[in-house]
Amino acid sequence: NLKQDFPLTESKAKNLLLKNSVSLAPAREEFAVKVNSKLVLEQQGFFNDEVFGNSGPLPPKVGQSTTFTVIWELKNYYNDLRNVKIKAVLPSFVSLTGQLFPRDSSFVFDSQSREIIWEVGEVQAGQGVGGEGPSLSFQVSLNPSASQQGQTAEIINKSQAFGDDTWTQNAVASAVQTLTTGLLSDEGFTSSQGIVQ
């Protein structure tokens, strides 16, 4: 078995193969193990955003809408991937505004499960590693309820990226923590600014 925390490198290494020889005289056997790609999902939330121009009170206020920009970025180490998707769930008090960049992205929302899905497709080895990779920005609107007063509110949860490794034929995945109003990436932002008033 390979370690789960296989070291990541900025190299252009592709389709890695680990070989090991075992000798028990007179027998000798060589073992080869294909190394899975490493898919990394990064998720950020912003209030101050020049792309969509967010609005509303910050800190958020009960009964009032505040918009935020969510950015997903992917890094893919080692092997080409196919059928790459990112899925997440929107809380009941969060809605999509329809603002999306790039506009032609395959992005869908299931109103029953409240699941959003970005179908990325193919991601080449090394994309996002030391250079530009697949990324998506979308805007959401938060309308907190009275039960959330005095605490941070979830913006998006259960975000997970997954795809199929073309080299090893295995599924690979990456998940990130729930994004809340207390975890925004704005410069100078403090978590107290995310507490619902």
Side-chain angles (χ1 to χ4, degrees), residues 2 26 43 70 72 80 85 92 108 111 115 118 126 139 170:
L2 299 180
Q43 175 177 266
V70 178
W72 283 337
D80 294 343
K85 295 178 183 178
S92 59
V108 294
S111 58
E115 188 174 62
W118 175 30
Q139 189 183 54
N170 291 329

Side-chain angles (χ1 to χ4, degrees), residues 101-114:
F101 185 80
R103 294 286 313 162
D104 60 351
S105 300
S106 179
F107 186 78
V108 294
F109 173 64
D110 183 330
S111 58
Q112 295 277 344
S113 64
R114 302 204 50 80

Side-chain angles (χ1 to χ4, degrees), residues 70 88-96 107 109 113-116 138-140 154-157:
V70 178
V89 177
L90 289 183
S92 59
F93 44 85
V94 175
S95 58
L96 294 169
F107 186 78
F109 173 64
S113 64
R114 302 204 50 80
E115 188 174 62
I116 53 176
F138 58 96
Q139 189 183 54
V140 296
E154 288 184 1
I155 296 173
I156 190 170
N157 60 36

